Amino acid sequence: MASLVEVISQFLNPDNNVRQTAEQLLQQHKANPAVFVPQLLELTRTFAEPQMRQMRGVVLRCNLDATMWPAVGALAQQTAKASLFEGFVAEQEPSVCNALADTISKLAAIFASAGAAPFLRSFAITPLCSCHSNLEA
């Protein structure tokens, strides 16, 4: 199986066949959410190119749902939340910040649908409003 780095880089390829292959490979990686989500988050720290960091956020957002998040496990969930915010605060590229903010908002929506609304303020609203002034509308 292709590495997750290879799969994500294939999403940036203009060839539709390459992107379709990447979709199929991504499905294999998603089969184990407890590994997939932390690996995807770790790639933020290792990608030098902003496009790759942005794509990582997009891939994560598009694949997070109410069934995948619980399968990640409690410890990995805490690590994922911390990693998202650390990446958001440290990121200097506006397009990557936007992708991370979108991912955080999707995760907040999952919490809200699960009845975790009181947690939303401390998880998403306050940090997002206070951290960055370079978010694009």
Side-chain angles (χ1 to χ4, degrees):
M1 177 170 35
S3 76
L4 195 52
V5 172
E6 292 168 347
V7 173
I8 299 226
S9 63
Q10 289 175 354
F11 280 112
L12 297 173
N13 192 307
D15 184 342
N16 281 336
N17 291 330
V18 172
R19 288 194 310 269
Q20 287 175 345
T21 300
E23 276 289 334
Q24 294 167 354
L25 293 169
L26 186 66
Q27 293 303 318
Q28 294 173 6
H29 283 279
K30 284 174 42 178
N32 188 353
V35 174
F36 172 70
V37 171
Q39 272 186 341
L40 205 49
L41 288 166
E42 180 59 32
L43 293 177
T44 301
R45 296 182 189 102
T46 59
F47 283 143
E49 305 88 14
Q51 284 182 315
M52 291 294 284
R53 292 194 312 272
Q54 179 183 9
M55 183 56 68
R56 187 260 338 156
V58 171
V59 168
L60 182 57
R61 183 190 75 237
C62 291
N63 288 286
L64 266 181
D65 60 29
T67 58
M68 178 181 275
W69 185 246
V72 171
L75 181 59
Q77 287 174 0
Q78 293 300 325
T79 303
K81 290 185 280 189
S83 179
L84 279 169
F85 280 118
E86 288 169 11
F88 179 79
V89 171
E91 184 58 56
Q92 298 300 309
E93 182 66 36
S95 63
V96 179
C97 287
N98 286 338
L100 290 173
D102 289 345
T103 303
I104 290 168
S105 69
K106 171 94 180 248
L107 195 51
I110 291 170
F111 292 149
S113 68
F119 182 61
L120 290 179
R121 181 168 174 78
S122 63
F123 172 67
I125 298 167
T126 302
L128 288 179
C129 291
S130 64
C131 290
H132 264 287
S133 60
N134 64 350
L135 286 177
E136 297 171 0

